[in-house]
Amino acid sequence: MSQVEKKAGLLRRTSSSKKPLKEKVVLMYDEIFAKEDPAKNNPRFWDELFLMKVNLEYLESKLESVDGEDVQRIQDNINSLFHHCVQALGEEHQIKVVNALQTLCALFRGVHQKNKSASGFDIINMLMGFDKAEQRMKDLMERLDSLLCGDSSESLKSLCLKLLLCLVTVTDNISQNTILEYVMINSIFEAILQILSDVSSRGQHGYDAVVLLALLVNYRKYESVNPYIVKLSIVDDEPTLDVSMLQYKDKEEENQGGFFSTLTSMVGSMFIADADEKLSVQTNEAILLALYEAVHLNRNFITVLAQSHPEIDIAATPTTTTPTTPTTPLGTTPPSLDMMNNPELPLDPNLQTSNLLITFLKYASIVMQDTKDEHRLNSARLCLIILTCIAEDQYADAFLHDDNMNFRVSLHRMPMRHRKKAVDKNIPSRPLVCAVLDLMVEFVVTHMMKDFPMDLYLRCVQIIHKLLCYQKKCRIRLHYTWRELWSALINLLKFLLSNETTLLAKHNIFHLALLVVNLFNMFITYGDTFLPTSNSYDELYYEIVRMHQVFDNLYCMVLRVSTNTGQWKEAASKVTHALVNVRAIINHFNPKIESYAAVNHISQLSEEQVLEVVRSNYDTLTLKLQDGLDQFERYSEQPKEAAFFKELVRSISLNVRKNVSLNTLSQDVLLKEFSTIS
């Protein structure tokens, strides 16, 4: 059969002399698109229609081909078709339900495709009649809710979700889809959560349900009260918030948990390992968006981000320990306390476990390796926004820094000529904040390129700053290889200096330089309260003095720009003032180091000899107290990030619309399944 014949719903010719015959369902569609009421001469028209196998292609093309004048002529029949579709969803005959769901998909898509420039009200009028729309949509949403929450077959639930995804994504801009006002009024939030909380349905429908929720949350989120945002922000039931362990490279999902467990599995499933053991990633913006909305909107989710069974090395635990984790603020309970009291906690030190946060960090380490592709750039940006929300939350910070909750986190590192490939076995078991810092350092080191991702660098440095502010506030002495961070930041300043002209054509490099210099000011001013030992503080000064040429060059550059008139004058001036203590350290210690070398007739001092000079000359060093170093602006989506999320949701919506194929569920399979039931 030719494509034209197939689209037109024609049957194969019986002989060369006869015209091809139309399928009965196509003839019935033609009656709907005629002026007369199709049920006028056949009272059983609608009953018979929904027993017929739907011809989606023909119905959609018929809707798209309707001319402006014909719209008015057939509107009553289209309204009647919509009404009878909704009624058929309540039928016991499952084949009728299947055909009604598929017909509704064709209606939504066909009418929107034909009327792209029409207002939302005109489309509503065309589909169901504006005066009856509220009742029609109420009935539709109630019946979909019943099908999703009832004991319907998994195929039927899948079709319901496909219909909802089809409805949500028919317009490029989700917020211009006026029909979704009725989806706001008649919420299916509870139905979505029930699917995600149920072991049997989550495995089959988890992806569609999470994507649907992520899209609904973004409908006119800045213009009006969105009930899906409100409801997501207050979810606190234990099964839904439970987070299950994720086993990598294991196709079987854990049969525990709910909404956040589903996110765990889905973030983890985005890892793809090929035969060469090189890990790549299928970026999935929709799942990341759902994860972001959960982290951003739900404080309860923050408390369960890391719930899992941690590694505990009992043999290495001393009999008496001095806790480095601060006393938690009143009214807060870090999740670790509950887990430490859990009698079911396995005490095998060889048991490597995971949780959503570890899964996310590993995923982020892959996504952030290559930011040249637009989708990967968006995903990397979203990963850093999620980490920003986590870094400024006291519940998450309490867990991240908890000395009693140690994990081995194997982040993916970009291959580079000057460094050896890391061996997983050498990764120590540490508080999770170390993995976050490692991820930030890795990004700083590996993205100094011509097409400089300034936005990502700013977010990265701000995340580090927020973690330092928490450590300073709670006096947490984190045992971390701080020199790697200092070295990465100094190399970043060196890169900015070397590429000043090129970068200034596109970016305000002085803002980033200021943030980096102020990180050093945090260590200089408050390092004695959060660096692990006095030796660490000495090493900080050693690194500043050792790399003094970079700071000297930076000062010369910002002084030159700030003393000339130009657009960067004020921005450069701020960096000049911020460098006052760094320059004081360099100008204080350098002459003393040179003097020590001259007196002792040493041409090149060892690190220990320089450290000795530093330790013996602190008393005469004068530094200025700088205000506001431990203050930061809290994350706010509106207005700064609104444009990013609007475009991201548009991209996701277009992708979902492209991929929501009703042929995912073969009509023949569906009809065969339900013909045996009915």
Side-chain angles (χ1 to χ4, degrees):
M1 190 185 295
S2 72
Q3 284 298 107
V4 176
E5 288 175 327
K6 184 180 178 184
K7 188 169 183 176
L10 303 180
L11 298 175
R12 193 181 300 278
R13 295 171 185 264
T14 54
S15 72
S16 59
S17 61
K18 292 182 180 180
K19 291 183 178 180
L21 301 173
K22 286 187 176 182
E23 297 174 53
K24 184 175 180 181
V25 72
V26 168
L27 293 171
M28 296 182 84
Y29 290 154
D30 288 343
E31 287 187 58
I32 294 170
F33 285 88
K35 188 175 181 180
E36 295 294 325
D37 177 1
K40 185 177 180 181
N41 297 321
N42 179 8
R44 290 187 49 79
F45 178 87
W46 299 110
D47 283 333
E48 292 175 8
L49 177 67
F50 294 112
L51 288 171
M52 301 286 163
K53 180 180 174 183
V54 179
N55 189 320
L56 295 164
E57 201 170 2
Y58 183 80
L59 181 55
E60 281 187 50
S61 64
K62 196 76 174 172
L63 286 163
E64 289 174 30
S65 65
V66 175
D67 293 328
E69 293 179 3
D70 294 335
V71 171
Q72 297 296 326
R73 182 172 56 82
I74 64 164
Q75 183 177 314
D76 287 345
N77 286 355
I78 299 297
N79 292 171
S80 190
L81 174 59
F82 189 94
H83 171 56
H84 284 93
C85 281
V86 175
Q87 281 193 319
L89 297 183
E91 292 271 1
E92 289 185 12
H93 203 308
Q94 298 291 282
I95 286 180
K96 286 187 175 182
V97 179
V98 170
N99 288 329
L101 286 167
Q102 293 186 321
T103 303
L104 282 167
C105 284
L107 271 174
F108 284 128
R109 293 202 302 205
V111 169
H112 276 89
Q113 193 65 29
K114 172 63 183 174
N115 302 278
K116 284 184 177 180
S117 59
S119 72
F121 299 107
D122 289 338
I123 287 174
I124 290 169
N125 200 38
M126 169 77 172
L127 274 171
M128 58 197 99
F130 199 74
D131 56 332
K132 297 174 183 175
E134 192 171 334
Q135 187 60 48
R136 294 283 184 266
M137 286 301 296
K138 182 175 184 291
D139 293 342
L140 173 61
M141 298 308 293
E142 284 178 354
R143 283 176 182 166
L144 289 176
D145 188 86
S146 296
L147 289 168
L148 289 170
C149 295
D151 54 1
S152 308
S153 77
E154 300 305 329
S155 299
L156 212 52
K157 289 181 180 180
S158 181
L159 204 50
C160 287
L161 289 169
K162 290 282 190 288
L163 169 61
L164 286 163
L165 283 170
C166 172
L167 169 58
V168 170
T169 61
V170 284
T171 56
D172 291 353
N173 182 345
I174 189 173
S175 293
Q176 291 177 352
N177 187 351
T178 313
I179 297 178
L180 293 187
E181 286 295 330
Y182 301 111
V183 183
M184 296 294 118
I185 296 167
N186 305 285
S187 172
I188 52 161
F189 182 83
E190 287 74 17
I192 294 173
L193 281 199
Q194 183 172 319
I195 286 171
L196 295 175
S197 300
D198 181 75
V199 172
S200 60
S201 66
R202 187 175 71 245
Q204 296 187 53
H205 316 302
Y207 180 86
D208 283 349
V210 167
V211 172
L212 177 62
L213 183 57
L215 290 170
L216 288 172
V217 162
N218 280 276
Y219 174 73
R220 296 185 181 173
K221 69 192 303 188
Y222 308 123
E223 303 160 35
S224 58
V225 177
N226 180 322
Y228 292 86
I229 290 178
V230 175
K231 291 182 179 185
L232 179 57
S233 69
I234 58 175
V235 172
D236 63 354
D237 59 296
E238 194 64 33
T240 307
L241 292 174
D242 183 35
V243 179
S244 65
M245 282 196 304
L246 180 76
Q247 297 296 327
Y248 287 94
K249 300 178 184 176
D250 188 347
K251 294 180 182 178
E252 295 182 10
E253 296 180 359
E254 293 287 336
N255 292 328
Q256 303 175 20
F259 174 50
F260 299 124
S261 174
T262 305
L263 285 181
T264 305
S265 300
M266 289 180 181
V267 174
S269 69
M270 288 187 278
F271 292 103
I272 301 168
D274 65 20
D276 296 326
E277 295 185 356
K278 293 176 183 176
L279 285 171
S280 60
V281 68
Q282 200 75 29
T283 57
N284 198 318
E285 294 165 338
I287 296 301
L288 271 184
L289 178 63
L291 181 60
Y292 161 74
E293 297 294 358
V295 170
H296 181 228
L297 296 173
N298 196 304
R299 290 297 302 276
N300 295 311
F301 174 60
I302 292 289
T303 66
V304 296
L305 249 182
Q307 280 189 13
S308 71
H309 299 307
E311 284 184 281
I312 297 181
D313 191 347
I314 299 176
T317 305
T319 52
T320 58
T321 58
T322 304
T324 59
T325 305
T327 305
T328 53
L330 287 173
T332 69
T333 305
S336 57
L337 298 183
D338 296 328
M339 284 181 277
M340 292 307 292
N341 294 326
N342 187 344
E344 298 179 4
L345 191 67
L347 300 180
D348 180 0
N350 297 316
L351 182 64
Q352 174 60 31
T353 62
S354 188
N355 55 42
L356 177 53
L357 190 51
I358 292 175
T359 307
F360 171 69
L361 290 172
K362 290 185 177 183
Y363 172 67
S365 71
I366 296 178
V367 170
M368 289 162 60
Q369 282 186 9
D370 179 12
T371 57
K372 292 173 185 175
D373 170 75
E374 184 184 355
H375 289 287
R376 281 178 172 265
L377 183 65
N378 284 341
S379 293
R381 184 175 182 181
L382 198 45
C383 285
L384 287 172
I385 291 175
I386 291 168
L387 281 172
T388 298
C389 294
I390 291 170
E392 63 183 43
D393 184 276
Q394 66 173 345
Y395 294 91
D397 280 330
F399 178 82
L400 286 174
H401 292 83
D402 193 335
D403 258 357
N404 297 313
M405 302 292 288
N406 294 327
F407 298 88
R408 290 187 177 91
V409 183
S410 176
L411 299 176
H412 298 278
R413 293 168 55 127
M414 191 182 291
M416 296 182 79
R417 293 176 191 170
H418 64 275
R419 68 180 184 188
K420 295 179 181 178
K421 185 178 179 181
V423 182
D424 289 357
K425 292 179 182 178
N426 296 333
I427 298 170
S429 186
R430 306 171 296 172
L432 273 180
V433 68
C434 296
V436 178
L437 289 169
D438 283 349
L439 182 61
M440 298 302 99
V441 169
E442 178 67 11
F443 180 83
V444 170
V445 168
T446 56
H447 287 77
M448 294 180 235
M449 52 184 125
K450 287 182 180 178
D451 190 11
F452 190 70
M454 175 62 81
D455 177 73
L456 301 187
Y457 266 97
L458 291 171
R459 294 177 193 278
C460 188
V461 173
Q462 286 167 341
I463 288 167
I464 296 169
H465 180 236
K466 288 174 182 182
L467 293 172
L468 291 182
C469 288
Y470 180 81
Q471 292 167 24
K472 178 259 176 185
K473 174 186 173 184
C474 299
R475 293 181 172 266
I476 297 175
R477 297 189 181 278
L478 183 69
H479 288 272
Y480 182 71
T481 50
W482 292 111
R483 289 180 81 160
E484 289 186 10
L485 172 62
W486 300 331
S487 175
L489 294 174
I490 291 169
N491 283 328
L492 174 57
L493 291 176
K494 191 175 180 181
F495 175 81
L496 295 180
L497 288 166
S498 302
N499 297 274
E500 175 193 350
T501 307
T502 308
L503 293 174
L504 272 177
K506 295 181 180 179
H507 309 290
N508 176 4
I509 62 172
F510 301 105
H511 181 43
L512 178 57
L514 179 64
L515 293 178
V516 172
V517 171
N518 277 339
L519 282 184
F520 280 100
N521 285 330
M522 273 287 289
F523 283 104
I524 293 166
T525 309
Y526 302 116
D528 60 331
T529 66
F530 64 82
L531 286 173
T533 63
S534 58
N535 283 345
S536 302
Y537 198 70
D538 301 337
E539 288 169 358
L540 167 67
Y541 280 60
Y542 173 80
E543 285 299 314
I544 291 172
V545 172
R546 186 176 72 88
M547 301 300 291
H548 71 89
Q549 196 64 55
V550 175
F551 292 106
D552 292 342
N553 292 344
L554 176 62
Y555 181 73
C556 290
M557 189 262 278
V558 294
L559 188 64
R560 165 173 48 82
V561 176
S562 64
T563 52
N564 293 324
T565 55
Q567 71 176 115
W568 306 118
K569 179 181 174 71
E570 187 179 345
S573 181
K574 289 180 181 177
V575 183
T576 308
H577 295 305
L579 280 166
V580 61
N581 281 341
V582 172
R583 295 189 69 242
I585 291 168
I586 293 168
N587 293 335
H588 176 74
F589 286 106
N590 259 355
K592 290 179 169 47
I593 291 169
E594 290 169 6
S595 174
Y596 180 91
V599 168
N600 292 281
H601 306 290
I602 304 171
S603 59
Q604 190 169 358
L605 298 183
S606 66
E607 178 178 333
E608 191 50 48
Q609 288 169 326
V610 173
L611 286 170
E612 184 184 332
V613 175
V614 168
R615 292 186 191 108
S616 58
N617 285 280
Y618 277 130
D619 294 346
T620 52
L621 174 65
T622 305
L623 298 175
K624 288 186 179 180
L625 186 63
Q626 294 175 305
D627 295 328
L629 291 175
D630 57 345
Q631 305 296 315
F632 58 82
E633 183 182 354
R634 293 188 67 82
Y635 171 79
S636 176
E637 183 180 315
Q638 173 77 340
K640 287 186 177 180
E641 310 292 349
F644 167 69
F645 281 104
K646 183 179 178 181
E647 284 308 308
L648 181 67
V649 171
R650 181 191 292 268
S651 170
I652 291 169
S653 184
L654 289 170
N655 192 50
V656 170
R657 186 169 73 207
K658 185 173 68 177
N659 292 319
V660 171
S661 167
L662 294 173
N663 295 325
T664 303
L665 287 173
S666 164
Q667 285 180 296
D668 292 331
V669 172
L670 281 167
L671 294 176
K672 184 177 180 182
E673 176 183 342
F674 294 117
S675 62
T676 59
I677 297 172
S678 303

